[in-house]
Amino acid sequence: MVKLACTPPERTAEVDEVRPRRGRIGLRLSLVGVVADRATLILRARDGGQAEMRLPVDSYGGRFQVCIPLDALATACIARDWIWDLYLDAGTEGAPLRLGRHPDGIAGEKNVFVCPAQHAAGVRVQLYCTVTDDLSIACAREEKR
């Protein structure tokens, strides 16, 4: 008798589409290895502080979409520079999933994914891929002249 081991599928939250415009960043998302009909986007300030934002995510056709208002990102911290890391809480067991950019299967998105910077409330806001192909948002106060 042969006994086969079944490895559970990897659980990931992936960004299928990015739409930066008009003071918002629109994201279309999908889950892999997880079934959920509701989700919440979590933005956590990387500095280890307690800054965290939660945004409801709309469901559409088995996927999800959310618009991140840049004014909320720009006014949530008082630091000169800070980074938001993005997570998706699918309301299932386990920790929220780090939001990544993997739908094309290409590793090294940091070197090929470019999202234009936007400006809100005197802050430059830039969505980018990390070295591990996860999504983060860098915020930097603009110098007053």
Tab-separated table of all heavy atoms in Angstrom, residues 4 6 13 17-18 34 42 55 58-59 63 68 73 77 84 86 90-91 95 97 121-122 126 128 132 134 136 138:
chain	number	residue	atom	x	y	z
A	4	LEU	N	-0.047	8.445	0.318
A	4	LEU	CA	0.293	9.729	-0.286
A	4	LEU	C	0.068	10.843	0.720
A	4	LEU	O	-0.958	10.888	1.390
A	4	LEU	CB	-0.561	9.990	-1.529
A	4	LEU	CG	-0.410	8.982	-2.663
A	4	LEU	CD1	-1.393	9.297	-3.767
A	4	LEU	CD2	1.006	9.001	-3.195
A	6	CYS	N	-0.684	14.651	1.437
A	6	CYS	CA	-1.346	15.764	0.755
A	6	CYS	C	-0.894	17.058	1.414
A	6	CYS	O	-1.141	17.290	2.590
A	6	CYS	CB	-2.859	15.614	0.865
A	6	CYS	SG	-3.751	16.918	0.026
A	13	ALA	N	-2.871	36.096	-0.605
A	13	ALA	CA	-3.745	37.179	-1.048
A	13	ALA	C	-2.972	37.916	-2.126
A	13	ALA	O	-1.863	38.394	-1.883
A	13	ALA	CB	-4.082	38.108	0.109
A	17	GLU	N	-4.923	43.721	-9.960
A	17	GLU	CA	-4.946	44.979	-10.711
A	17	GLU	C	-4.760	46.149	-9.753
A	17	GLU	O	-5.270	46.129	-8.636
A	17	GLU	CB	-6.292	45.105	-11.423
A	17	GLU	CG	-6.410	46.252	-12.366
A	17	GLU	CD	-7.753	46.250	-13.094
A	17	GLU	OE1	-8.380	45.183	-13.235
A	17	GLU	OE2	-8.170	47.342	-13.513
A	18	VAL	N	-4.033	47.167	-10.202
A	18	VAL	CA	-3.800	48.386	-9.435
A	18	VAL	C	-4.263	49.565	-10.270
A	18	VAL	O	-3.895	49.673	-11.444
A	18	VAL	CB	-2.298	48.547	-9.089
A	18	VAL	CG1	-2.045	49.858	-8.361
A	18	VAL	CG2	-1.806	47.368	-8.272
A	34	VAL	N	-7.780	29.884	-0.107
A	34	VAL	CA	-8.715	30.360	0.913
A	34	VAL	C	-10.044	30.648	0.228
A	34	VAL	O	-10.070	31.248	-0.845
A	34	VAL	CB	-8.212	31.674	1.569
A	34	VAL	CG1	-9.191	32.170	2.614
A	34	VAL	CG2	-6.836	31.501	2.152
A	42	ILE	N	-6.138	45.513	5.701
A	42	ILE	CA	-5.467	46.056	6.885
A	42	ILE	C	-4.186	46.725	6.430
A	42	ILE	O	-3.384	46.125	5.717
A	42	ILE	CB	-5.139	44.945	7.901
A	42	ILE	CG1	-6.427	44.227	8.340
A	42	ILE	CG2	-4.405	45.529	9.102
A	42	ILE	CD1	-6.169	42.988	9.170
A	55	LEU	N	-9.981	48.799	6.175
A	55	LEU	CA	-10.924	49.240	5.152
A	55	LEU	C	-11.763	48.059	4.691
A	55	LEU	O	-11.219	46.983	4.424
A	55	LEU	CB	-10.180	49.829	3.949
A	55	LEU	CG	-9.316	51.063	4.214
A	55	LEU	CD1	-8.504	51.406	2.975
A	55	LEU	CD2	-10.184	52.233	4.631
A	58	ASP	N	-14.961	45.164	-0.990
A	58	ASP	CA	-16.166	44.720	-1.694
A	58	ASP	C	-15.900	43.419	-2.429
A	58	ASP	O	-14.829	43.229	-3.002
A	58	ASP	CB	-16.622	45.777	-2.708
A	58	ASP	CG	-17.029	47.081	-2.037
A	58	ASP	OD1	-17.619	47.025	-0.945
A	58	ASP	OD2	-16.747	48.154	-2.604
A	59	SER	N	-16.888	42.563	-2.437
A	59	SER	CA	-16.790	41.295	-3.145
A	59	SER	C	-17.414	41.444	-4.525
A	59	SER	O	-18.446	42.098	-4.675
A	59	SER	CB	-17.533	40.220	-2.350
A	59	SER	OG	-17.534	39.008	-3.054
A	63	ARG	N	-13.949	37.555	-6.389
A	63	ARG	CA	-12.766	38.354	-6.095
A	63	ARG	C	-13.166	39.502	-5.186
A	63	ARG	O	-14.303	39.620	-4.774
A	63	ARG	CB	-12.160	38.896	-7.382
A	63	ARG	CG	-11.604	37.829	-8.275
A	63	ARG	CD	-11.219	38.460	-9.561
A	63	ARG	NE	-10.150	37.762	-10.209
A	63	ARG	CZ	-9.724	38.080	-11.402
A	63	ARG	NH1	-10.245	39.101	-12.037
A	63	ARG	NH2	-8.751	37.399	-11.959
A	68	ILE	N	-8.323	52.713	-1.652
A	68	ILE	CA	-7.619	53.274	-0.500
A	68	ILE	C	-7.570	54.786	-0.680
A	68	ILE	O	-6.951	55.279	-1.628
A	68	ILE	CB	-6.194	52.711	-0.407
A	68	ILE	CG1	-6.224	51.186	-0.332
A	68	ILE	CG2	-5.459	53.320	0.774
A	68	ILE	CD1	-4.864	50.535	-0.503
A	73	LEU	N	-4.368	57.986	4.401
A	73	LEU	CA	-2.976	57.540	4.577
A	73	LEU	C	-2.082	58.701	4.978
A	73	LEU	O	-1.191	58.564	5.808
A	73	LEU	CB	-2.430	56.935	3.286
A	73	LEU	CG	-3.046	55.649	2.774
A	73	LEU	CD1	-2.376	55.250	1.471
A	73	LEU	CD2	-2.928	54.547	3.789
A	77	CYS	N	-0.427	59.468	10.174
A	77	CYS	CA	0.854	59.467	10.905
A	77	CYS	C	1.425	60.873	10.945
A	77	CYS	O	1.158	61.676	10.058
A	77	CYS	CB	1.863	58.537	10.230
A	77	CYS	SG	1.528	56.799	10.497
A	84	TRP	N	3.367	51.846	4.999
A	84	TRP	CA	2.228	51.000	5.329
A	84	TRP	C	2.439	49.643	4.651
A	84	TRP	O	2.691	49.586	3.458
A	84	TRP	CB	0.923	51.584	4.788
A	84	TRP	CG	0.501	52.883	5.387
A	84	TRP	CD1	0.633	54.117	4.838
A	84	TRP	CD2	-0.157	53.073	6.641
A	84	TRP	NE1	0.113	55.065	5.675
A	84	TRP	CE2	-0.389	54.453	6.787
A	84	TRP	CE3	-0.563	52.211	7.654
A	84	TRP	CZ2	-1.014	54.987	7.910
A	84	TRP	CZ3	-1.192	52.750	8.762
A	84	TRP	CH2	-1.412	54.124	8.884
A	86	LEU	N	0.530	46.106	3.628
A	86	LEU	CA	-0.853	45.743	3.341
A	86	LEU	C	-1.111	44.261	3.603
A	86	LEU	O	-0.321	43.411	3.187
A	86	LEU	CB	-1.189	46.061	1.881
A	86	LEU	CG	-1.454	47.528	1.550
A	86	LEU	CD1	-0.250	48.397	1.754
A	86	LEU	CD2	-1.956	47.659	0.139
A	90	ALA	N	-9.279	37.610	5.635
A	90	ALA	CA	-10.402	36.944	4.968
A	90	ALA	C	-11.422	36.413	5.965
A	90	ALA	O	-12.386	35.757	5.570
A	90	ALA	CB	-9.877	35.805	4.093
A	91	GLY	N	-11.223	36.694	7.245
A	91	GLY	CA	-12.171	36.254	8.246
A	91	GLY	C	-12.146	34.752	8.483
A	91	GLY	O	-13.076	34.192	9.036
A	95	ALA	N	-3.750	34.085	10.700
A	95	ALA	CA	-3.410	35.502	10.660
A	95	ALA	C	-3.792	36.098	9.305
A	95	ALA	O	-3.917	35.383	8.311
A	95	ALA	CB	-1.912	35.663	10.902
A	97	LEU	N	-3.398	37.695	5.726
A	97	LEU	CA	-2.426	37.347	4.690
A	97	LEU	C	-1.748	38.602	4.151
A	97	LEU	O	-2.423	39.590	3.855
A	97	LEU	CB	-3.125	36.611	3.553
A	97	LEU	CG	-3.860	35.330	3.953
A	97	LEU	CD1	-4.732	34.839	2.812
A	97	LEU	CD2	-2.858	34.277	4.364
A	121	ALA	N	-2.588	65.878	0.852
A	121	ALA	CA	-2.364	66.553	2.140
A	121	ALA	C	-0.882	66.807	2.412
A	121	ALA	O	-0.403	66.609	3.526
A	121	ALA	CB	-2.993	65.737	3.274
A	122	GLY	N	-0.136	67.221	1.383
A	122	GLY	CA	1.274	67.531	1.550
A	122	GLY	C	2.175	66.320	1.711
A	122	GLY	O	3.292	66.430	2.190
A	126	GLN	N	3.422	56.534	-2.491
A	126	GLN	CA	3.937	55.667	-3.553
A	126	GLN	C	3.705	54.195	-3.203
A	126	GLN	O	4.255	53.680	-2.234
A	126	GLN	CB	5.441	55.907	-3.725
A	126	GLN	CG	6.123	54.993	-4.711
A	126	GLN	CD	5.985	55.493	-6.123
A	126	GLN	OE1	6.272	56.647	-6.392
A	126	GLN	NE2	5.553	54.641	-7.026
A	128	TYR	N	4.452	50.347	-3.855
A	128	TYR	CA	5.601	49.663	-4.439
A	128	TYR	C	5.633	48.206	-3.998
A	128	TYR	O	4.985	47.816	-3.034
A	128	TYR	CB	6.908	50.362	-4.057
A	128	TYR	CG	7.297	50.208	-2.611
A	128	TYR	CD1	8.199	49.213	-2.218
A	128	TYR	CD2	6.772	51.031	-1.630
A	128	TYR	CE1	8.566	49.056	-0.889
A	128	TYR	CE2	7.130	50.885	-0.299
A	128	TYR	CZ	8.019	49.895	0.063
A	128	TYR	OH	8.363	49.736	1.377
A	132	THR	N	10.331	40.989	-1.354
A	132	THR	CA	9.660	39.685	-1.287
A	132	THR	C	8.358	39.675	-2.087
A	132	THR	O	7.512	38.811	-1.899
A	132	THR	CB	9.374	39.292	0.183
A	132	THR	OG1	8.614	40.340	0.804
A	132	THR	CG2	10.668	39.050	0.937
A	134	ASP	N	5.791	41.627	-1.951
A	134	ASP	CA	4.600	42.067	-1.232
A	134	ASP	C	4.378	43.539	-1.537
A	134	ASP	O	5.287	44.238	-1.973
A	134	ASP	CB	4.778	41.869	0.275
A	134	ASP	CG	4.922	40.404	0.640
A	134	ASP	OD1	4.231	39.567	0.041
A	134	ASP	OD2	5.734	40.096	1.527
A	136	SER	N	3.513	47.436	-0.418
A	136	SER	CA	3.599	48.413	0.659
A	136	SER	C	3.359	49.792	0.052
A	136	SER	O	3.435	49.966	-1.166
A	136	SER	CB	4.968	48.369	1.339
A	136	SER	OG	5.139	47.149	2.025
A	138	ALA	N	4.700	53.721	0.574
A	138	ALA	CA	5.629	54.648	1.213
A	138	ALA	C	5.013	56.044	1.214
A	138	ALA	O	4.480	56.492	0.198
A	138	ALA	CB	6.961	54.664	0.457
